[in-house]
Amino acid sequence: MNIPGHLAIAWLSARRWDTLRAPGSYRKHVLAPVFLGALLPDLIDKPIYLLGGSVYGRTLGHSLLFFGLLCAFAALAQRITRGEERIAISWLAAGVGTHLLLDLIEGVLEGAIHGPYIFTSWWLWPYLNPDMVGIPPAQSPLAPRQDHTIWFELMFVCAVAAVFFLRRRIRRRRTEAMAKQHQTSERK
């Protein structure tokens, strides 16, 4: 998944919480951490790849080990700290979770398009990696490809956005109808 896709899904996952907190608090304690979390696996793994530490662009940051440790740290922060700052760690973990889920979807699509592999072995890094299952580096996430999943990603982002906006519109109409019905009953 590309950066816009990761950020769009992270925003959609956090969007419904904007009415529960003050605007400044929402941006500081929800949006900023979820956006950082949505990019964090790539911010960890792409430098490792670019510096030659791995021939694959997904290692530690894309692993369930990293996600599990981050979730455990978020749970610990919920117990230890007070105030709205404690939810920031949870939203960071949620952003990482959306990133991993979207990359899993991309891996399944890439496998369907490019042949008999599904590039999900990075989830179990360091216990299982692409070298162990015989995936050549040419099929790693940063390697150039003839076909990209960008159209699938775009359709996915648009579908999620459409569902979000349709639900919002239906909810708004329902609320307006209930208010109108309430006004009519008060007049009688």
Side-chain angles (χ1 to χ4, degrees):
M1 178 72 62
N2 293 316
I3 290 173
H6 284 302
L7 292 177
I9 299 303
W11 176 78
L12 286 173
S13 70
R15 184 70 182 132
R16 72 177 304 192
W17 297 96
D18 68 340
T19 57
L20 300 178
R21 304 193 184 309
S25 175
Y26 171 69
R27 285 190 292 273
K28 181 179 179 184
H29 300 297
V30 176
L31 273 185
V34 82
F35 283 165
L36 177 62
L39 299 177
L40 190 58
D42 286 337
L43 292 174
I44 293 170
D45 289 343
K46 298 315 182 216
I48 294 171
Y49 170 78
L50 294 172
L51 293 173
S54 171
V55 293
Y56 303 99
R58 295 176 178 164
T59 54
L60 171 66
H62 285 80
S63 69
L64 290 179
L65 174 67
F66 173 71
F67 181 60
L69 289 173
L70 188 59
C71 287
F73 183 69
L76 184 64
Q78 291 293 322
R79 292 177 117 347
I80 294 174
T81 60
R82 298 279 181 243
E84 290 194 344
E85 290 79 17
R86 69 185 182 156
I87 66 168
I89 301 291
S90 297
W91 281 107
L92 181 74
V96 171
T98 63
H99 185 109
L100 296 180
L101 182 63
L102 291 172
D103 280 357
L104 173 67
I105 293 168
E106 179 191 31
V108 170
L109 290 174
E110 287 285 335
I113 292 171
H114 294 291
Y117 81 94
I118 298 175
F119 198 88
T120 56
S121 59
W122 42 266
W123 268 29
L124 298 176
W125 183 94
Y127 306 106
L128 179 65
N129 64 51
D131 292 327
M132 294 177 183
V133 292
I135 296 173
Q139 293 178 332
S140 70
L142 289 179
R145 297 184 180 101
Q146 290 178 333
D147 299 312
H148 291 281
T149 59
I150 189 74
W151 297 111
F152 291 113
E153 294 171 19
L154 182 62
M155 287 188 304
F156 180 73
V157 169
C158 289
V160 169
V163 167
F164 173 78
F165 288 115
L166 285 174
R167 285 183 60 196
R168 187 174 179 187
R169 187 173 181 181
I170 289 169
R171 195 175 305 139
R172 185 179 299 144
R173 283 188 178 178
R174 199 175 289 155
T175 304
E176 289 171 358
M178 288 173 58
K180 213 180 248 189
Q181 184 181 18
H182 182 68
Q183 288 175 353
T184 306
S185 66
E186 283 182 354
R187 288 182 189 163
K188 292 181 181 181

